[in-house]
Amino acid sequence: MKKFWNFADGESGERTLRLEGIVAEESWIGDEVTPKQFREELNSGSGKVTVWINSCGGDVFAASAIYTALKEYRGTVTVKIDSLAASAASVVAMAGDTVLMSPTAMMMMHNPATIAAGDREEMKLAIRTLDEVKETIINAYQLKTGLSREYISRLMDAETWLNAKKAVEMKFADGILYTDNGADKVQDAMIFSQSIITNSIVGKLKSSARDHTQAPKIKVKALRRRLFTLGG
């Protein structure tokens, strides 16, 4: 499996872990080697650990194993998001004793997804499994934020993106890097969802099409693909 993490020891004894790219390109289900390697590297030292995250997401079970290992770690864990913590990577971020975001960073949460094949009973099983996986993700978000499960579920349904200030306001993060007063120095908080943006743009385009009889028809699915290329 391609390694997506890197540990480094600083001169002061503080350790740094960088999680970059896809969180496991293959599932950790049935993989006894890779999770064990991660835990061994994490626990090979002691003291504070700073975890830098720049990831669009990946395998939810790998994220769960990393989250649990970080929560079990005997030293203080500080998470710093330098660009993006999306999907499964946002779950890993919830393991930090303190979570800090760059003023330019974003966090994204959405429902888990999978690929399934088989008869109708197997499709039902896939749906039930996704529902249970969603509950495990909500557990991590709720433990960090104290928000209600129903509200977090709605955020995931809408594929919600948070800028640094909004993440702090909603307690997904604790502060913003490079500012003296946390979120106060960042201008407006921003929260938006895939459905809201798509509906707004499509609505404007349809309105324009009604005003111009020669305007081409809008292909909503194609528009969605062009607008939303990020995620895990």
Side-chain angles (χ1 to χ4, degrees), residues 177-210:
L177 296 168
Y178 322 125
T179 62
D180 295 330
N181 298 309
D184 294 340
K185 295 270 182 97
V186 176
Q187 293 182 344
D188 294 330
M190 179 171 61
I191 176 173
F192 60 92
S193 71
Q194 171 178 327
S195 58
I196 291 173
I197 294 176
T198 301
N199 292 338
S200 175
I201 294 177
V202 171
K204 290 179 180 179
L205 291 173
K206 285 182 177 179
S207 176
S208 177
R210 287 194 297 268

Side-chain angles (χ1 to χ4, degrees), residues 10 23 25 33 83 92-93 99 102 105 107 112 117 136 139 151 153 164 204:
V23 178
E25 295 184 1
V33 176
S83 178
V92 175
V99 179
S102 168
M107 184 180 292
T136 69
N139 288 341
Y151 183 62
S153 179
K204 290 179 180 179

Side-chain angles (χ1 to χ4, degrees), residues 143-196:
L143 185 62
K144 175 64 179 176
T145 66
L147 296 171
S148 72
R149 300 184 71 84
E150 293 76 13
Y151 183 62
I152 294 171
S153 179
R154 291 197 299 272
L155 293 177
M156 294 172 69
D157 290 341
E159 186 179 297
T160 299
W161 294 74
L162 307 174
N163 75 349
K165 183 174 182 180
K166 195 64 182 181
V168 171
E169 288 183 358
M170 298 177 70
K171 298 185 179 179
F172 286 96
D174 302 296
I176 299 175
L177 296 168
Y178 322 125
T179 62
D180 295 330
N181 298 309
D184 294 340
K185 295 270 182 97
V186 176
Q187 293 182 344
D188 294 330
M190 179 171 61
I191 176 173
F192 60 92
S193 71
Q194 171 178 327
S195 58
I196 291 173

